[in-house]
Amino acid sequence: MTIKLDVQDAETGEVSRDTLIKRYSAVRLETEELCRPLVTEDYVMQTSPDVSPPNWHLGHTTWFFERLLLEPYLPGYSPHHPLFNYIFNSYYESLGPRNDRDRRGFLSRPTVQEVYDFRSAIDRAMGDLIETVDEPHWPEIAAMIELGLNHEQQHQELLLMDVKHIFASNPLRPVYREAGDRKRAQGTLPPPMEFAEIPGGVTQIGHGGRGFAYDNEGPKHRVFLNDFRLMTRLVTNGEFLVFIQEGGYDDPRWWLSDGWATVRERGWRSPLYWAEADGTWMVMTLRGYEPLVLDEPVSHVSYYEADAFARWAGRRLPTEGEWEHAVCSRGITPRTGNLLEDRAWGPRPANADQITPNELQQLFGDVWEWTQSAYLAYPGYRQAAGPLGEYNGKFMSNQMVLRGGSFGTPRSHIRATYRNFFQCDKRWPFAGFRLAQDE
Amino acid sequence: MTIKLDVQDAETGEVSRDTLIKRYSAVRLETEELCRPLVTEDYVMQTSPDVSPPNWHLGHTTWFFERLLLEPYLPGYSPHHPLFNYIFNSYYESLGPRNDRDRRGFLSRPTVQEVYDFRSAIDRAMGDLIETVDEPHWPEIAAMIELGLNHEQQHQELLLMDVKHIFASNPLRPVYREAGDRKRAQGTLPPPMEFAEIPGGVTQIGHGGRGFAYDNEGPKHRVFLNDFRLMTRLVTNGEFLVFIQEGGYDDPRWWLSDGWATVRERGWRSPLYWAEADGTWMVMTLRGYEPLVLDEPVSHVSYYEADAFARWAGRRLPTEGEWEHAVCSRGITPRTGNLLEDRAWGPRPANADQITPNELQQLFGDVWEWTQSAYLAYPGYRQAAGPLGEYNGKFMSNQMVLRGGSFGTPRSHIRATYRNFFQCDKRWPFAGFRLAQDE
Amino acid sequence: MTIKLDVQDAETGEVSRDTLIKRYSAVRLETEELCRPLVTEDYVMQTSPDVSPPNWHLGHTTWFFERLLLEPYLPGYSPHHPLFNYIFNSYYESLGPRNDRDRRGFLSRPTVQEVYDFRSAIDRAMGDLIETVDEPHWPEIAAMIELGLNHEQQHQELLLMDVKHIFASNPLRPVYREAGDRKRAQGTLPPPMEFAEIPGGVTQIGHGGRGFAYDNEGPKHRVFLNDFRLMTRLVTNGEFLVFIQEGGYDDPRWWLSDGWATVRERGWRSPLYWAEADGTWMVMTLRGYEPLVLDEPVSHVSYYEADAFARWAGRRLPTEGEWEHAVCSRGITPRTGNLLEDRAWGPRPANADQITPNELQQLFGDVWEWTQSAYLAYPGYRQAAGPLGEYNGKFMSNQMVLRGGSFGTPRSHIRATYRNFFQCDKRWPFAGFRLAQDE
Amino acid sequence: MTIKLDVQDAETGEVSRDTLIKRYSAVRLETEELCRPLVTEDYVMQTSPDVSPPNWHLGHTTWFFERLLLEPYLPGYSPHHPLFNYIFNSYYESLGPRNDRDRRGFLSRPTVQEVYDFRSAIDRAMGDLIETVDEPHWPEIAAMIELGLNHEQQHQELLLMDVKHIFASNPLRPVYREAGDRKRAQGTLPPPMEFAEIPGGVTQIGHGGRGFAYDNEGPKHRVFLNDFRLMTRLVTNGEFLVFIQEGGYDDPRWWLSDGWATVRERGWRSPLYWAEADGTWMVMTLRGYEPLVLDEPVSHVSYYEADAFARWAGRRLPTEGEWEHAVCSRGITPRTGNLLEDRAWGPRPANADQITPNELQQLFGDVWEWTQSAYLAYPGYRQAAGPLGEYNGKFMSNQMVLRGGSFGTPRSHIRATYRNFFQCDKRWPFAGFRLAQDE
């Protein structure tokens, strides 16, 4: 796995120890900051096999540094606790046996305090490592640290997803963060759908050159795309509500066969976290249980629901190549997206003033966008040997690619080439979609 | 349901308010005392569908008083929290909808502190009720309180069973209570099995007369018993180990058909909580993870395992009628049993000095004893209407009766007529067995 | 297992070879006669894990004679086919590995013709055995043959149960046998319920003395019974329909906890094979799909449904001791019951003329009667060693006793002490019930 | 759905009625010819949810003509049987409710004879339709008939797959067809792997122009491919055996995460139908149970196993674009492949003489080849409205593409653009693989 850093000096490609220490501290602090609203009891909940307890996220991200940096590289380092490798290894077959994923919610010990102590100890040792490692090893160490920080950033979003699921599973419906002055426009009709024209041809997608990226984003390679049209904003709650009201969940015509089976088996009648009570649609959010806001992007839909909506609307989902090509050819960056640092705790409505036939918005942040591309290896991809090879490569089956990040994704973590992936039936990610159509 | 009190005046059958207040306080305090070794994180764990989190036990036992006493009887009382009826109702269909049993481990809220506050509030209100209820209602109220206290005592033992399961599910194997000066005799061979002769005939079993008893213990009725022989002590770990070593878990001859299917599906090779490591048998106890003690009673066996051992040994399990008749005809009482108040936190070896051919011991306390009687209604039993009818009567299928209580049963809670019951495959109760044989 | 013959000479207890050959031929022919309405395709169906294909019944009953008589006792006998022991062994652990029960429906080979050929070959060899075995072995052989014939008679009824399930699983709803001149009285209201008074006391139940009986029917032993009252006829379809119409399947008050869970999980709204179409209740029978006949005994109900009906009606089910005592004390025999030889292919309405307050009818035949007794060992019961010990003894958990036989039970197979048994949730047996109440 | 015929006149694009009648008869006869080795009992078996009984295949392919041609187009036609639409509809939501897929093995009726009668009746009516339909409707009718025939050809291969599963599920291991003079070379070592160089660039894949093709094969569209290398023959049993012997099934490094979970859950240790007995590898084939032939292509492997082998071998699977481009750029056609008409009843070894570094063989026939492409819509694909839209489009999730046909595929049914698809865990198709690598 070629790891490329985004804290590199633009010209020399070098990374200073100071810069990396600052970034290390910032990322690590952010994780703890995200946990601040939790009480001790919240930390140890696992409300579905997909969910991990916050305490486990805190420990696992720390274990990653211990296991992949301190143990191999810090002379004389011995593990903080002999069983933490067993407890906090997630899925790395090459790093030894581990506690089953669906038993993470059985871990009342180590306690929350003990895991925070583990974090502190590892942070001190990481400081030692960064300061003392000799120059020849520095680039390799720096790259691994950057990977560890990106790993932790991924878990920051997972943490928010999981906290939301934990709170939504509780009859008392706790509030994660108060909404502040968020303008609620639940009665507002969504602005009309517009589609931007994107010329195709042979183009390049995937990551190349400097800056950090995961192995699955590369190699950069050529693809041929037809001309296509891409919806300028995300599909809204209001639009999805029409699909529901017109019987979308009852009509097999719109559904993939697997999707239709899933709808019936699980009794899906709306996106996850929606509930109809006395004729009003309510929705569980990180800011509490509140009436559905019609012009906000729809969220917590599966691939099946996104795809069914697209068929019902006579459109389709974009491919990941189309999405990336649109973003790159228009020069769109994560700079203005509604991302984690914005502290919105949910997607925001599109900018109605900005809705012009050809101006794309909401591509970064708000919600991840389902694409109709399966998560598979790019041409020329080779999985690394050892534990890092397990990071992404072994998940290349039965999953679809999502692009663009959400309100829960750190800004320094997302980029145009970033490939997120989930199974078609998953609904707990912050995932929505936009439509595409052939020219 | 006729509820009979054991705090009645022996002659008048009356119960004084003072006496009941004292008993109420003692029972309520004991529950909290049993929770003292727990950290906050332990309180919210549900490590199997059978297990309830300690926090839930604390709330549920409190809800019982609120729902069945304060709401109907205390003028002006309104529920402590509008959703606690939903959260803390266990299985009473007549008391409204409720949180699914297998979602009790998703309850990070109400927090542990909030549940302790709930307990305090209800205790104050119960004090008011006991002091202020008018004399005509007092007997009925007193009977209901006694039921609530017995209910809470049942949950005291469940709490210990569940804490043990929670701790045993944790790779760190926490200790509940230190063992103190417990004499460990793991090398000691168990004393020989002896069988006491018990004459049969028409005899009476079941509860009648004064003192509290559950509805399922009555009516007192006549049964005919053949003469039989009953093992004078409980079967030990050492004896069960011989069964294992002689291939007991591999030989279908000893097993009920359902039991054999269970052994293979679940891969049972020993009682629950046993583990073999490097040729040594270890066992998880409330006092920590320790070498198996051979002369202690075997525990955490299912009915299937108890029955298989009995067949292998050429004996059988006693019926509940035989057990009760033996106890009553010999005048044995819970007085000397190893029960909760003894704070042993586990079963104790039989008294070797006391092993005489005809002297029964360990009938009360140590571990519950599986009988070969199905849990069914006694002749003349009628289920009460309303929620109290749901307490016991609706479970009369697919369960077997256990007798005598365990080291986790409060002394004031157990008696000769007490019928505990579990499904044949359950292993998390503190359950063992003794053998019987025909004359 | 002590096997006692009913073809014994009344005085000497001896069995003549001629008599046994005749009985052997008659039983074996009857099995084939019951298959006459089947087409080849019907023979190999397994429409639920409980159901066995008719071809398998034909082979298994034959294998029983080959494996337990010809192989051990006929000199020079070698198995008809080397794999038939694997294919036709049902559940005898001591007789070697076997095809899984739920894979019986995968057996297109041996073909139906090959199984009939197997039957012929074994019948010839059994003729040889009976003729040639020497006198000292004859009593043992004769007893084993009698067991084999009773085993085959059990399978005759199972065959009918399974054919009914196979036909009911087919959208074309085939007819097994035409009804003939059966009087249909679907509009007739059931005659009123009457309860006969039966005095209790110490009485004896279970099998003793001469005549064939299964091991689980003995030993004969004393029990104490209270006085009780027993419904004089079976509960009817019309009565059960009232239970349905009054919301019986929607009201948890009437149900055992396990029963209520089963009702909801499986969506039960009526007995098995009932269907409501356009306001008419239809029912699948062996005589085809036809309107529900109100005064016929209700059939294809589980223990849970029988028990729920009884609670709803303010009564209870009888125990097996009560049932047997009532039958024996009244001198009722199978002679006049609606049994297999009557070729009614379904239960018949009670004789309305015979409905007097104190005259019991329908105790033998029509439908098996659920009792509230668990299927457990009688006092003094010892399971035999070897394969015969597996016949009954290993099923003594999680099942309830049914008494009296059905329209599908051969008359020479049923008796007052006969204990049939099924799990509480089984609905494919020909099982109904009558009520009891305390004096 | 644009349906394009391969019985068209090369110049005019017209189809003569005579030509189509002949093709209709030939295809329909072939299905029945494939059933000739079956006994009646075989016809009704469903040995896994994936398998359909042969009798159902016979009826379903016939129903397709009745439902989509005779009912809409033949004046005065009324269905052969009112319930056959319910029984023989496979998965067409738009064609009404249907018998559940996993209940196809419960259909002893209609009998085999009745289904053959159904076939005859529909064949006669189809003759009438072809002869009498007026000229303006002819092209549409002809196109639909061609679809129906291709549908039936698909089922011819499914029938063979299912018969193999049915026979392999039987302890008696029936033989479908005797092997004839097949040369068995089980000791022969496979010839060495060679890889042909295929230049990439912008190329076109997918179906366009004349001749029948399914909708999912189009539109023809441009793709960009890197240069790559493609193994010249299929991977053999001998090569796969080395993977097994070197611990391939025990080493998570080679497996996708989903694949590794599947291996452990299902206990996979070899391809389906392989069995090791006394150190010899045996395999169930359509020609009986026989020793593994080392130089034959490996078959009955899942995508997971093909992918794991490729990783272990340091290669990868080809994409479907690569496969199609290799075939088209080399001008390879189905003409010489080992296909259904060759009556080989299994894959054949590669031609050792033909193994040159750059000569591709076995691309058509022998076994389907797993590709690393997910089964998704081509750019510009639009699903048709109505039942035909359900033929392929709704399965575009969680499946992988296979190319090239097998020994069970009719020659007139396969082509370079043909896209077969199965879930990653399916092993009952006749599926193997070849390797690819980057230049």
Side-chain angles (χ1 to χ4, degrees), chain A residues 257-258 304 311 383 394 398, chain D residues 257 304 311 383 394 398:
Chain A
S257 180
D258 288 352
Y304 295 132
R311 290 176 192 233
Q383 194 171 324
K394 73 180 182 184
N398 305 314
Chain D
S257 181
Y304 296 131
R311 291 178 193 232
Q383 193 170 328
K394 73 180 181 184
N398 304 316

Side-chain angles (χ1 to χ4, degrees), chain D residues 39-321:
Chain D
V39 299
T40 300
E41 292 88 338
D42 298 328
Y43 277 91
V44 291
M45 296 283 109
Q46 180 177 33
T47 49
S48 94
D50 288 326
V51 165
S52 295
N55 205 38
W56 189 89
H57 285 294
L58 290 176
H60 166 69
T61 48
T62 304
W63 162 85
F64 195 91
F65 289 107
E66 180 181 62
R67 190 72 175 84
L68 295 176
L69 281 149
L70 299 177
E71 289 192 32
Y73 296 111
L74 186 63
Y77 183 84
S78 73
H80 185 76
H81 189 290
L83 281 167
F84 280 10
N85 189 54
Y86 182 81
I87 288 174
F88 290 124
N89 180 4
S90 51
Y91 56 66
Y92 296 88
E93 302 281 350
S94 53
L95 297 178
R98 60 206 171 286
N99 197 39
D100 286 345
R101 182 182 176 89
D102 59 1
R103 296 175 66 88
R104 289 182 189 161
F106 298 172
L107 295 168
S108 58
R109 322 287 179 99
T111 63
V112 175
Q113 185 57 52
E114 285 163 353
V115 170
Y116 274 107
D117 293 346
F118 176 40
R119 289 182 72 86
S120 300
I122 265 51
D123 288 349
R124 281 191 303 274
M126 283 297 296
D128 290 349
L129 177 68
I130 295 174
E131 278 172 24
T132 60
V133 67
D134 56 16
E135 203 53 38
H137 284 103
W138 173 243
E140 180 186 351
I141 299 286
M144 282 296 296
I145 292 172
E146 187 55 39
L147 177 66
L149 294 175
N150 273 275
H151 173 255
E152 181 138 353
Q153 288 182 308
Q154 273 191 283
H155 278 274
Q156 287 166 0
E157 178 162 1
L158 288 167
L159 182 74
L160 285 180
M161 285 159 55
D162 292 353
V163 165
K164 186 166 180 179
H165 197 274
I166 291 165
F167 283 11
S169 299
N170 194 310
L172 298 174
R173 298 195 188 105
V175 172
Y176 173 68
R177 301 263 191 190
E178 292 296 338
D181 59 347
R182 186 166 65 100
K183 192 180 93 220
R184 285 180 185 161
Q186 56 260 30
T188 313
L189 283 178
M193 284 186 190
E194 301 284 354
F195 288 78
E197 294 179 21
I198 316 283
V202 172
T203 182
Q204 285 201 305
I205 68 164
H207 193 271
R210 289 209 174 135
F212 175 83
Y214 287 115
D215 63 344
N216 62 10
E217 299 173 50
K220 192 177 187 76
H221 61 285
R222 275 171 290 183
V223 295
F224 182 89
L225 297 177
N226 289 340
D227 300 344
F228 66 101
R229 292 158 60 87
L230 188 66
M231 192 171 157
T232 57
R233 58 166 175 78
L234 294 164
V235 170
T236 62
N237 285 330
E239 284 156 350
F240 204 86
L241 192 55
V242 177
F243 172 72
I244 295 175
Q245 286 164 344
E246 296 195 357
Y249 282 93
D250 296 313
D251 192 337
R253 278 181 301 164
W254 315 128
W255 296 85
L256 286 163
S257 181
D258 289 351
W260 183 240
T262 305
V263 163
R264 284 180 302 172
E265 279 167 27
R266 306 192 194 169
W268 289 353
R269 309 290 305 157
S270 67
L272 184 63
Y273 302 140
W274 289 32
E276 199 177 12
D278 307 323
T280 304
W281 280 99
M282 300 294 290
V283 62
M284 182 71 185
T285 76
L286 285 171
R287 298 155 313 220
Y289 189 61
E290 53 180 41
L292 189 71
V293 180
L294 294 183
D295 61 353
E296 279 183 1
V298 68
S299 187
H300 298 293
V301 289
S302 63
Y303 177 79
Y304 296 131
E305 287 159 300
D307 178 78
F309 180 96
R311 291 178 193 232
W312 169 79
R315 269 46 178 249
R316 61 173 175 84
L317 299 177
T319 64
E320 64 169 325

